[in-house]
Amino acid sequence: MKRTILITGGAGFIGSHMVRLMVNKYPNYLIVNLDKLTYAGNLKNLLDVEGCSNYIFEKGDIVNTDFISKIFSKYNFDSIIHLAAESHVDRSIHSPMEFIMTNIIGTVNLLHAAKNLWKDNLEGKLFFHVSTDEVYGSLGQTGLFTELTSYDPQSPYSSSKASSDHFVRSYGNTYNIPYLISNCSNNYGPNQFPEKLLPLFINNIQESKPLPVYGDGNFTRDWLYVEDHVKAIDLIFHSGKINETYNIGGCNEWKNIDLINLLCKKMDVHLNNPAGTSEKLITYVKDRPGHDKRYAIDASKLQSELSWKPSLQFEQGLEKTIVWYLNNYEWLSDVTSGEYQNYYEQQYK
Ligand code: NAD
Ligand code: TYD
């Protein structure tokens, strides 16, 4: 094998697309997927790569120092693509400690293990940290986040991710660990856990349940199809300048309410409902505390240095996403049973 790569959080939404891309595209890389399988991790996301000879799954917690140290000795990784995280803002408002443990302590554990493993030879080593645009805080009506925008995280989730970004840079600066950081906007696509806006609303429309729009619905996000995100990570991983940061975005801003109206129209067509059926489910609910008004990414560095651009138009990506969820109702009902029901009752009571 030419490389041995640890992917953390590979059973989650973005992680499973990352694992699939790396396993299929690079048969001479050994891909080790390390995941705790929290409520958000699902090995059913990876059934198609399960039997591949260059793929191994290890169940474990990045917060567990002994376990991480053993895994690093066992495989002698030359690179890490770190995606494991608690990732939902609303959960971070209810349970910030879990975010601090996994996103901060877990990241530092991995950095520490990499530092120990690579202490005699840093040649060809890489710690790739997958982060979010939310570390930059919230924008007003205008402006874009660049790689030079000061950090100003506003939620426990974004604060924990910002902290982990700082630790990655500090290990680069202090111990010369070669690193890359990417900060991406909101992802959407197949296999996203239905607590995030799009899969939640697709699920609720199918079940004729209310669509809980926070506040006045005039909050703006930039949306990128998940496969375009993992293609960008692959490109940066192989060709990015070491110890640099790259913003990744779709150049595709939507106000929540406009996006929800578009989704409702499309769902009516797919479900053969009379026009306007899904829109009637829209229910304005209490706003998220500290809700960030607008995120928007300037991805020009990635475009100009590495010639990256999203491959899909948003309407194509949305269409593919809807079709995937409609064809995978079993996946959806599996992941919405159990613990998630408790979360749902608590969040939307
Ligand atoms: P996700 O919640 O779908 O998946 C997270 C995965 O990490 C799950 O498989 C979970 O089991 C695993 N995990 C959680 N805690 C763990 C622990 N302590 N030890 C080992 N594994 C653990 O998240 P996602 O949406 O796929 O996000 C992946 C990464 O991308 C995160 O770091 C997130 O901050 C970042 N990101 C996400 C988005 C987005 O829109 N979803 C955008 C930009 C960046
Ligand atoms: P979300 O998918 O949670 O991503 P993030 O908060 O990380 O951007 O939410 C996207 C937007 O949708 C955000 O402005 C909050 C809003 N939202 C709702 O209006 N209702 C909901 O039930 C959820 C989950 C989100």
Side-chain angles (χ1 to χ4, degrees), residues 12-14 35-36 38 41 61-62 83 87 102 131 157 161 187:
F13 166 46
I14 303 171
D35 200 296
K36 184 181 172 183
T38 66
D61 188 342
I62 59 169
L83 296 112
S87 68
T102 289
S131 191
Y157 164 65
K161 291 296 290 186
N187 282 216

Side-chain angles (χ1 to χ4, degrees), residues 88 134 186 195 197 200 212 214 221 256 288 291 348:
H88 188 39
E134 303 190 24
N186 286 53
E195 62 187 355
L197 182 74
L200 175 73
Y214 295 162
R221 299 290 183 263
N256 290 345
R288 170 187 282 173
H291 196 165
Y348 298 107

Side-chain angles (χ1 to χ4, degrees), residues 8-16 34-42 60-63 82-88 101-103 106 129-134 157 161 182-188 191-193 195-196 223 229:
T8 68
F13 166 46
I14 303 171
S16 59
L34 188 167
D35 200 296
K36 184 181 172 183
L37 301 182
T38 66
Y39 77 94
N42 185 350
D61 188 342
I62 59 169
V63 176
H82 175 36
L83 296 112
E86 288 292 337
S87 68
H88 188 39
M101 294 310 291
T102 289
N103 299 2
H129 182 58
V130 178
S131 191
T132 166
D133 62 352
E134 303 190 24
Y157 164 65
K161 291 296 290 186
S182 60
N183 297 87
C184 189
S185 57
N186 286 53
N187 282 216
Y188 70 98
N191 308 98
Q192 186 170 32
F193 195 84
E195 62 187 355
K196 307 274 169 63
W223 294 91
H229 183 192

Side-chain angles (χ1 to χ4, degrees), residues 194-251:
E195 62 187 355
K196 307 274 169 63
L197 182 74
L198 277 170
L200 175 73
F201 279 31
I202 292 171
N203 190 30
N204 283 13
I205 290 171
Q206 284 193 83
E207 296 186 350
S208 301
K209 279 164 69 174
L211 304 178
V213 178
Y214 295 162
D216 59 7
N218 287 318
F219 297 82
T220 302
R221 299 290 183 263
D222 171 75
W223 294 91
L224 180 67
Y225 192 66
V226 62
E227 286 179 2
D228 278 326
H229 183 192
V230 299
K231 282 183 196 160
I233 294 174
D234 173 30
L235 183 64
I236 301 165
F237 177 85
H238 286 97
S239 310
K241 278 196 208 131
I242 293 301
N243 298 356
E244 295 251 341
T245 297
Y246 291 85
N247 280 355
I248 311 173
C251 211

